Amino acid sequence: QVQLVESGGGLVQAGGSLRLSCVASGRTFSTYAVAWFRQAPGKEREFVATISRSGLSIDYAEPVKGRFSISRSIAKSTVYLQMNSLKPEDTAVYYCNAGNFGRVAGDYWGQGTQVTVSS
């Protein structure tokens, strides 16, 4: 089993940047792919980005391609989401998720971190 804790959210102006972190505990973290999802008010949770166990395979949702970058540190049991050129439509609660590589959520979720982008 793995526990996930997100941090790094906050309030930023449009065009700004934030870096989210997802710290995992549990010895098996390195065996999971990790993904970021987000949920805006009144909307369903949606896929944002995912990175494989090795870090060699990465996939992004179309709305964030070219602006967001996902990476992981096995040594630090941490996955990062660097978000640049933020837009008001990026406003959401961002969740870290561990499971299989791909756009389908796995079984393990963090508690979420709020990202608010003002226009």
Side-chain angles (χ1 to χ4, degrees):
Q1 196 164 359
V2 61
Q3 293 78 42
L4 306 171
V5 178
E6 303 95 332
S7 63
L11 174 64
V12 64
Q13 289 188 332
S17 298
L18 284 174
R19 188 176 80 158
L20 306 183
S21 298
C22 171
V23 179
S25 59
R27 297 180 179 181
T28 60
F29 176 66
S30 63
T31 66
Y32 291 98
V34 177
W36 288 94
F37 289 77
R38 67 186 182 186
Q39 188 167 19
K43 295 187 176 181
E44 293 187 352
R45 194 171 297 188
E46 64 176 4
F47 166 78
V48 175
T50 186
I51 187 166
S52 64
R53 293 176 296 173
S54 66
L56 296 179
S57 295
I58 289 174
D59 185 27
Y60 297 100
E62 200 64 36
V64 308
K65 280 184 179 178
R67 300 188 298 122
F68 289 12
S69 177
I70 189 171
S71 61
R72 73 186 294 168
S73 169
I74 299 298
K76 296 182 179 180
S77 296
T78 302
V79 172
Y80 304 97
L81 186 67
Q82 178 67 42
M83 305 186 297
N84 299 326
S85 302
L86 283 162
K87 304 175 181 180
E89 50 263 46
D90 294 319
T91 294
V93 178
Y94 284 70
Y95 297 91
C96 182
N97 177 269
N100 295 318
F101 179 75
R103 300 189 175 197
V104 177
D107 293 333
Y108 303 104
W109 292 95
Q111 83 289 349
T113 186
Q114 176 70 48
V115 171
T116 303
V117 184
S118 63
S119 57

